[in-house]
Amino acid sequence: MVIVWMLLLLLAVILLPFMIAVLLYQSALIVTVYVIYCKILRKPYDLLTTTNNVASRAHRYTWYLHGRIWNGYEVQGLENIPDSGPALLIFYHGALPIDIYYLLVTVFFHKDRILHVVADYFLFKVPGLKTLLDCMGVIAGSQETCTKTLKDGNLLAIFPGGVYESQFSHEYNLLWKNRVGFAKVAINAKVPIIPVFTENVREAYRTLRTGRSFFEKIYNATKFPFTPIYGGFPVKLITHIGKPIPYDPELSPEQLKMKVANAIEELIAKHQRTPPSILRAVIDRIPAFRVKHKDHKQ
């Protein structure tokens, strides 16, 4: 019996992350078929700038349902994202940032807006995803590109910790090193910064702790995320959107970086149970138990 349970657990660890790949390529297929359809009929199409596009709505609704059903996904503080005008959203990076997909579609359906996202360059090298990434507003942005995106009046999301934080931040600690690029972008574009953190995001997907020094050396040499990811657990996910930090011309990029980091760390301290626990994060799906856990934490 023990062996059976171990095999089932191993199967889940392998198959659950595979579900996300299936969803991604399903979305890519929907968008690609729509593009081909428009080209054959010589119809104009715009996958990005309109929220009424049938392909955009179809594939996003798949993610919306997945978030609600599999992770009981919620957003607290959605009113802090403006209904119009630019803003820069700064995230803590989970092992697999499933929360950004969920927030993308939530903003799409509830705010009628496109949330652009800066992603690592390696994502654009994954076969078959380019059209989908373009449709979702994902960019491999330089500071100039990010500044222009904001000056054009758009919402933009950045993960300062990047892939390094996703692989090696096991206890919800920020690993931003000396990165201040996002702060320079916000200052140049003169936009507010909105801190964002998703509760239990590291219980949904985790990276292997064993062999960290080995995988860190590989990452430093290749800048590619080789650390194994496991999970896909149906934990409760709640994205907490903090109050906007207004543009202040008196702040240097380093000072602004620290101010944003402190704001995200406050969200983590307020909303994230530590030490992390997958089981308790799953139990959070039950409202009565969730209240008890929160009372216990306090």
Side-chain angles (χ1 to χ4, degrees):
M1 181 60 69
V2 175
I3 294 177
V4 172
W5 278 107
M6 289 180 65
L7 289 174
L8 288 175
L9 178 61
L10 179 61
L11 187 64
V13 166
I14 295 173
L15 290 182
L16 289 177
F18 183 70
M19 288 172 53
I20 298 302
V22 170
L23 282 175
L24 280 172
Y25 279 101
Q26 173 186 301
S27 296
L29 179 61
I30 291 172
V31 173
T32 302
V33 168
Y34 179 77
V35 170
I36 294 173
Y37 166 79
C38 290
K39 287 183 176 179
I40 291 175
L41 297 183
R42 297 182 179 179
K43 291 176 57 177
Y45 64 90
D46 191 339
L47 291 173
L48 183 59
T49 60
T50 175
T51 55
N52 293 321
N53 181 278
V54 62
S56 294
R57 298 188 72 84
H59 84 81
R60 283 178 169 88
Y61 196 64
T62 301
W63 286 98
Y64 187 81
L65 287 178
H66 185 272
R68 295 296 296 273
I69 294 171
W70 191 253
N71 293 113
Y73 182 70
E74 297 178 24
V75 177
Q76 294 185 0
L78 187 61
E79 67 278 3
N80 291 325
I81 296 179
D83 294 329
S84 61
L88 177 59
L89 283 68
I90 298 298
F91 283 72
Y92 166 80
H93 204 313
L96 186 67
I98 189 68
D99 52 332
I100 189 60
Y101 297 110
Y102 294 163
L103 186 60
L104 274 171
V105 298
T106 300
V107 170
F108 183 87
F109 287 116
H110 291 275
K111 291 279 187 177
D112 198 33
R113 300 196 67 184
I114 302 292
L115 173 58
H116 298 255
V117 183
V118 176
D120 198 279
Y121 284 97
F122 86 88
L123 193 60
F124 292 84
K125 298 178 182 179
V126 178
L129 291 187
K130 186 180 185 306
T131 301
L132 175 63
L133 295 175
D134 290 341
C135 175
M136 296 183 75
V138 180
I139 60 175
S142 62
Q143 288 187 29
E144 292 75 16
T145 303
C146 291
T147 300
K148 183 180 184 305
T149 300
L150 289 167
K151 285 186 174 181
D152 287 342
N154 297 301
L155 298 172
L156 179 66
I158 294 179
F159 296 80
V163 174
Y164 183 82
E165 185 173 84
S166 75
Q167 293 183 100
F168 306 116
S169 170
H170 300 295
E171 299 289 342
Y172 292 97
N173 50 315
L174 300 185
L175 300 178
W176 292 4
K177 298 186 176 180
N178 297 319
R179 296 179 179 177
V180 294
F182 76 90
K184 293 179 180 178
V185 166
I187 291 172
N188 291 336
K190 300 181 180 179
V191 298
I193 291 180
I194 302 174
V196 183
F197 169 71
T198 299
E199 184 177 349
N200 293 328
V201 68
R202 279 209 170 261
E203 276 57 75
Y205 292 89
R206 287 185 169 181
T207 50
L208 194 67
R209 293 190 182 217
T210 305
R212 168 170 175 165
S213 59
F214 170 74
F215 289 115
E216 194 166 359
K217 288 178 181 177
I218 294 180
Y219 172 75
N220 290 333
T222 65
K223 302 303 178 185
F224 195 86
F226 282 103
T227 307
I229 296 177
Y230 66 96
F233 304 109
V235 303
K236 181 69 175 181
L237 292 181
I238 303 177
T239 293
H240 301 277
I241 302 173
K243 295 290 184 183
I245 299 171
Y247 165 69
D248 184 351
E250 300 299 322
L251 291 178
S252 68
E254 290 75 16
Q255 291 171 324
L256 182 56
K257 171 193 171 183
M258 291 304 302
K259 191 170 184 177
V260 176
N262 290 337
I264 293 181
E265 287 174 341
E266 286 177 7
L267 289 176
I268 295 172
K270 181 178 180 181
H271 298 289
Q272 184 60 54
R273 180 193 296 107
T274 53
S277 167
I278 294 173
L279 177 59
R280 286 183 295 178
V282 172
I283 293 175
D284 279 345
R285 297 289 300 273
I286 306 172
F289 284 94
R290 177 174 174 77
V291 171
K292 291 179 182 179
H293 285 317
K294 287 299 181 185
D295 290 343
H296 177 71
K297 179 183 175 182
Q298 293 172 353

